């Protein structure tokens, strides 16, 4: 039995599989990498950063190297990659590293991200561009090279391959977080990328799903200031601990989730919620060749007058979800 955890499953559902987890030096990515390793996967731990210096002047390990070492010390298989996934060529190198080291890539978990929160009227161009680059472009870059790898393998064998993509969206997209226009936009874009990828790669045996995790990490410590760290009746684990999220990532990466594709799930505090796809709430037809202003006014104005004040396309109710 691997010493990775005293509570290993009776079988290792990810044994023989190779995975990449981006942004895995700390927080959510770290526990996701640890969970994939616990379930049997060989892991490339990615996190952007160069070595620092300790008190003696010696180079210190990067966060990615520390997590990879933690996995190896527990009996697992892991290597580190310290490149920037928002850089197209460094994302290529990340995927190529996994293939060179483990012979293939089976699982891609996109988690890398940053925050630059500000109201839309105060946000700078740089703050907008930085968040879109790391979150949305970073997800695209790794997905592009992983998808090309899986497509080539499938074409070479004439049969589907094993591929899993788990992308990281956010409730900020679902609820319309007012102070995070860049982050909400990036996370909404990631959902669009996920559903498009799911349809494009299904014939190759690849699934793509997105999660909306709520977790207290270094990136979100300011967001969750003042939120209680325990809930009566559910033990002492912080309901916002990243450890609540990692098991869902492990499941979505596994063979058991082969029929789960193009889905969006909210996860935190011992709870998983499946988000339904948008549905058409109302439909209006012009009685002429095309609508006029007056006709639209007569149809849409009373329709919206009857809707609750302040209601938008955003689903703010997801912020109230919690474990029963």
């Amino acid at each position: 039995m691997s010493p990775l955890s005293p509570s290993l499953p009776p079988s290792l559902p990810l044994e023989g599989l190779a995975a990449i987890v981006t942004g895995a030096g700390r927080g959510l990515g770290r526990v996701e990498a640890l969970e994939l390793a616990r379930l049997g996967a060989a892991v490339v731990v990615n996190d952007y950063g160069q070595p620092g210096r300790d008190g003696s002047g010696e180079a210190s390990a990067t966060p990615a190297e520390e997590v990879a070492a933690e996995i190896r010390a527990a009996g697992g298989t892991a290597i580190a990659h310290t490149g920037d996934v928002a850089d197209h060529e460094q994302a290529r190198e990340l995927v190529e590293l996994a293939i060179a080291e483990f012979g293939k890539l089976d699982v891609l978990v996109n988690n890398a991200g940053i925050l630059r929160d500000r109201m839309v009227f105060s946000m700078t161009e740089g703050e907008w561009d930085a968040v879109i680059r790391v979150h949305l472009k970073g997800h695209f870059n790794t997905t592009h090279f992983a998808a090309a790898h899986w497509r080539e393998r499938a074409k070479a064998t004439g049969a589907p391959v094993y591929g899993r993509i788990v992308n990281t969206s956010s409730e900020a997209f679902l609820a319309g977080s007012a102070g995070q226009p860049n982050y909400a936009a990036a996370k909404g874009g990631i959902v669009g990328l996920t559903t498009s990828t799911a349809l494009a790669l299904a014939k190759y045996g690849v699934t793509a799903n997105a999660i909306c995790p709520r977790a207290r990490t270094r990136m979100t410590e300011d967001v969750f200031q003042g939120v209680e760290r325990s809930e009566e009746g559910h033990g002492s684990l912080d309901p916002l601990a990243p450890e609540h999220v990692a098991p869902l990532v492990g499941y979505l990466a596994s063979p058991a989730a082969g029929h789960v594709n193009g889905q969006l799930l909210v996860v935190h505090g011992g709870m998983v919620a499946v988000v339904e796809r948008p549905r058409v709430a109302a439909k209006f037809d012009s009685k002429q060749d095309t609508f006029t202003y007056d006709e639209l006014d007569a149809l849409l104005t009373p329709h919206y007058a009857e809707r609750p004040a302040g209601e938008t396309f955003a689903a703010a109710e997801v912020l109230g979800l919690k474990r029963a």
Side-chain angles (χ1 to χ4, degrees):
M1 175 182 293
S2 166
L4 276 168
S5 167
S7 57
L8 282 167
S11 62
L12 298 177
L14 304 186
E15 190 169 16
L17 301 180
I20 289 171
V21 183
T22 72
R26 304 178 179 88
L28 271 174
R30 173 183 171 273
V31 296
E32 290 167 352
L34 293 174
E35 177 70 358
L36 296 188
R38 188 185 77 88
L39 297 176
V43 182
V44 180
V45 179
N46 162 266
D47 204 283
Y48 182 55
Q50 300 304 314
R53 297 285 174 179
D54 61 21
S56 65
E58 294 293 323
S60 58
T62 66
E65 290 166 340
E66 290 176 350
V67 175
E70 185 177 356
I71 290 172
R72 292 193 298 269
T77 301
I79 57 173
H81 178 269
T82 57
D84 177 9
V85 294
D87 180 284
H88 203 60
E89 287 306 306
Q90 291 183 53
R92 181 202 300 273
E93 292 167 4
L94 170 59
V95 172
E96 289 178 347
L97 175 64
I99 297 167
E101 188 73 18
F102 304 129
K104 58 176 180 170
L105 174 65
D106 303 291
V107 177
L108 170 63
V109 179
N110 283 311
N111 171 76
I114 61 172
L115 288 179
R116 298 290 185 271
D117 293 352
R118 205 179 295 274
M119 299 296 286
V120 69
F121 43 77
S122 302
M123 182 164 289
T124 67
E125 181 182 16
E127 289 165 340
W128 173 271
D129 289 347
V131 169
I132 297 298
R133 176 183 180 273
V134 175
H135 288 273
L136 187 52
K137 187 182 179 186
H139 272 60
F140 161 74
N141 285 344
T142 54
T143 297
H144 167 76
F145 293 112
H149 167 66
W150 288 320
R151 180 173 178 266
E152 290 170 6
R153 282 174 52 196
K155 293 182 72 173
T157 62
V161 299
Y162 187 100
R164 299 284 187 270
I165 299 173
V166 182
N167 287 333
T168 306
S169 183
S170 171
E171 292 170 299
F173 146 68
L174 287 171
S177 181
Q180 298 180 302
N182 48 3
Y183 185 70
K187 292 306 190 180
I190 286 168
V191 173
L193 172 65
T194 302
T195 53
S196 175
T197 302
L199 293 174
L201 301 186
K203 65 181 179 181
Y204 301 119
V206 179
T207 67
N209 295 286
I211 63 171
C212 294
R214 191 187 304 176
R216 195 192 311 271
T217 67
R218 190 180 68 159
M219 188 179 83
T220 63
E221 59 186 355
D222 291 338
V223 176
F224 294 121
Q225 277 187 349
V227 178
E228 291 296 326
R229 289 184 175 268
S230 64
E231 286 186 345
E232 186 177 352
H234 293 305
S236 58
L237 183 63
D238 180 359
L240 293 178
E243 286 79 5
H244 288 297
V245 177
L248 177 61
V249 173
Y251 167 74
L252 291 174
S254 76
H259 294 293
V260 184
N261 194 28
Q263 302 300 308
L264 180 64
L265 303 99
V266 175
V267 54
H268 60 82
M271 179 217 73
V272 172
V274 177
V275 179
E276 182 64 279
R277 63 182 178 85
R279 296 186 180 277
V280 177
K283 176 178 175 290
F284 303 98
D285 297 316
S286 175
K287 295 181 180 179
Q288 308 160 95
D289 287 341
T290 188
F291 278 110
T292 64
Y293 168 86
D294 289 337
E295 191 178 15
L296 288 171
D297 181 25
L299 292 170
L300 293 179
T301 300
H303 172 75
Y304 282 106
E306 296 171 0
R307 302 295 288 268
E311 181 187 77
T312 72
F313 186 74
E317 62 270 19
V318 298
L319 300 180
L321 290 173
K322 64 179 181 178
R323 183 177 178 179

